Each structure stands twice: as structure tokens, then as C-alpha cells.
């Protein structure tokens, strides 16, 4: 899972090793960027279904994310948006402190032909150093830097959150009660979150922030995941 939580005044490049030549693993956090049991399927189970998507899509729907990583979650959301025939553009804002280089992202996405097929405009923007871009059906902004600072300064509010930092045991800064409170503060009434982790302290932090929290079946070998709604 991608990480954005460690202290950094500006974004720093991520270090990556490759497991079996296919799975990118963060050398900083010793954690893979996506599930070893089909990362795209995990994204769809955890982040899309966990947020009630695509059923909730509407024009201008806004997804925010902690941990951009390979961009796989963004591409999965774009695929779902197009398949749903939603009108207008999907808005997608992600917070990332340790961005991957474009060649590493391209290599990672090659494991998912469906995502790779729609990744061209994103990769072109990333190669050009643009962290904001518009593609057919989506408007993306990747906010680089420490999420504990950048989220606090962000003026937006999301309809759905993808909480996709590295494991809470390895990247605890990204799951702190203070940051979960900022997530709630930047959520529209009736908005939602979903995350692959079911760690008790994360669930308690999200409940304390105001979300109604539910534990759900996880993906693959993970028994549980967590989702929640911010009451309107």
C-alpha cells in the first residue's frame, strides 16, 4: 500500500524493490504497494464496493485518497466511472509524500492490463512532472508532501475516501487520531471511507472523528476490512 504519512516538508522519491519481478515493495516501509492476491480485485472490493461505488456516482463526485502509490486505485475508479456511464467528470484528489517515478508506475501497472489500457494520459502527465491533469471522465490532483500538513491546508471535501497508506504497524503516522480527524473534517455530510485495515486503533480513531464504522469481510486472505459513513 502507498505511504504518505512520514514527516517530510516536500515529497521525496520512493524506494522500490520488486518481488518476483512484478510486485513493487517499498524499501522505506517494507510493504507491497498492492495486494499479492490481485491488487485490482482488492481495489474493487475494498475501495469501490466499500464506499458503495459505482452506485453513488453522480456528476462531480469527489474521491480523496491517502496514498497514491501506483495510481491503481485512481484508474480503477476511472474504469468504474466510465462503465457506469456517469455524466460529467469524476474528481480525484490524492495525498502522497513519496511518489514513484513514472517507469516504476508503468512497470507495476503492466500486471493489470485493464488498468494499463487507460493509464496512458496519466503516465504522460507524470513523466512531464504534472501532478494535476484532466482525462476523459476524470480530473486528478496528486498533492505531494506530508499528509499531516497538506490535508490540513486542503480546502476540499470528499464524498468518499480511500484510506490506503502502508500498514498501520509500519506507517503509524498515516493512521493517527489527528489525521483521521482531518479526514472527517474534509468529508462531505453523508460521505464515506473505506480501508483494507481492520486495526482496532484505526477503527476507534475513525469513530472518535465522527464516522459510523463497520467491519466488513476483507479481500483474499484478509479476514476483515473497515468502512464507514459520516452522518449527514
Amino acid at each position: 500500500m502507498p505511504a504518505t504519512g512520514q514527516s517530510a516538508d516536500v515529497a521525496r522519491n520512493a524506494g522500490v524493490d520488486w518481488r518476483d519481478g512484478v510486485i513493487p515493495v517499498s524499501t522505506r516501509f517494507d510493504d507491497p504497494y498492492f495486494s499479492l492476491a490481485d491488487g485490482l480485485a482488492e481495489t474493487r472490493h475494498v475501495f469501490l464496493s466499500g464506499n458503495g461505488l459505482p452506485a453513488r456516482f453522480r456528476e462531480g463526485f469527489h474521491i480523496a485518497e491517502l496514498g497514491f502509490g501506483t495510481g491503481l486505485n485512481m484508474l480503477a475508479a476511472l474504469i468504474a466511472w466510465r462503465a457506469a456511464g456517469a455524466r460529467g467528470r469524476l474528481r480525484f484528489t490524492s495525498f502522497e509524500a513519496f511518489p514513484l517515478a513514472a517507469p516504476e508506475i508503468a512497470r507495476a501497472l503492466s500486471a493489470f492490463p485493464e488498468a494499463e489500457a487507460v493509464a496512458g494520459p496519466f503516465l504522460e502527465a507524470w513523466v512531464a512532472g504534472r501532478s494535476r491533469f484532466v482525462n476523459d471522465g476524470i480530473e486528478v490532483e496528486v498533492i505531494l508532501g506530508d499528509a499531516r500538513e497538506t490535508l490540513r491546508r486542503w480546502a476540499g471535501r470528499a464524498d468518499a475516501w480511500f484510506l490506503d497508506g502502508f500498514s498501520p504497524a509500519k506507517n503509524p503516522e498515516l493512521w493517527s487520531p489527528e489525521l483521521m480527524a482531518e479526514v472527517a473534517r474534509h468529508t462531505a455530510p453523508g460521505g464515506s471511507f473505506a480501508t483494507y485495515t481492520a486495526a482496532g486503533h484505526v477503527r476507534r480513531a475513525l469513530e472518535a472523528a465522527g464516522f459510523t464504522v463497520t467491519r466488513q469481510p476483507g479481500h483474499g486472505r484478509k479476514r476483515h476490512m473497515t468502512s464507514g459513513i459520516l452522518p449527514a
Side-chain angles (χ1 to χ4, degrees):
M1 304 296 168
T4 65
Q6 291 238 334
S7 186
D9 293 328
V10 296
R12 291 174 285 179
N13 288 338
V16 179
D17 282 336
W18 293 88
R19 185 173 300 175
D20 300 326
V22 177
I23 305 293
V25 178
S26 168
T27 57
R28 184 182 300 273
F29 297 100
D30 188 28
D31 215 15
Y33 276 82
F34 43 72
S35 171
L36 305 181
D38 191 341
L40 184 54
E42 180 183 50
T43 288
R44 286 170 166 156
H45 177 84
V46 174
F47 298 114
L48 295 181
S49 295
N51 278 293
L53 306 175
R56 293 172 58 213
F57 280 153
R58 55 172 170 72
E59 187 169 359
F61 192 87
H62 195 166
I63 295 171
E65 174 184 58
L66 293 182
F68 185 69
T70 64
L72 182 62
N73 296 341
M74 178 269 292
L75 295 170
L78 173 59
I79 292 167
W81 177 267
R82 290 177 175 174
R87 297 178 58 184
R89 285 184 186 148
L90 173 67
R91 298 175 64 199
F92 194 98
T93 303
S94 189
F95 297 82
E96 177 61 67
F98 305 105
L100 287 167
E104 293 167 330
I105 291 177
R107 180 176 175 180
L109 293 177
S110 68
F112 308 104
E114 191 177 356
E116 185 181 36
V118 298
F122 153 54
L123 288 172
E124 290 174 9
W126 207 249
V127 167
R130 300 199 309 273
S131 57
R132 299 182 65 177
F133 66 94
V134 175
N135 189 9
D136 182 22
I138 194 167
E139 178 181 338
V140 177
E141 180 178 17
V142 182
I143 298 176
L144 302 176
D146 186 339
R148 293 172 294 180
E149 297 298 327
T150 56
L151 178 53
R152 181 173 54 83
R153 296 194 297 263
W154 186 48
R157 289 200 299 178
D159 298 298
W161 275 93
F162 296 177
L163 302 182
D164 195 23
F166 286 113
S167 162
K170 298 182 178 182
N171 186 201
E173 294 89 348
L174 202 61
W175 305 94
S176 69
E178 294 78 13
L179 192 54
M180 296 303 97
E182 287 296 327
V183 167
R185 192 169 73 85
H186 290 88
T187 303
S192 63
F193 79 86
T195 178
Y196 66 89
T197 186
H201 69 91
V202 173
R203 288 188 284 111
R204 289 189 293 272
L206 287 160
E207 287 173 342
F211 287 99
T212 300
V213 175
T214 304
R215 190 169 68 172
Q216 298 190 26
H219 170 77
R221 296 182 179 180
K222 294 179 180 176
R223 292 180 59 192
H224 299 112
M225 55 168 278
T226 308
S227 64
I229 302 290
L230 189 70

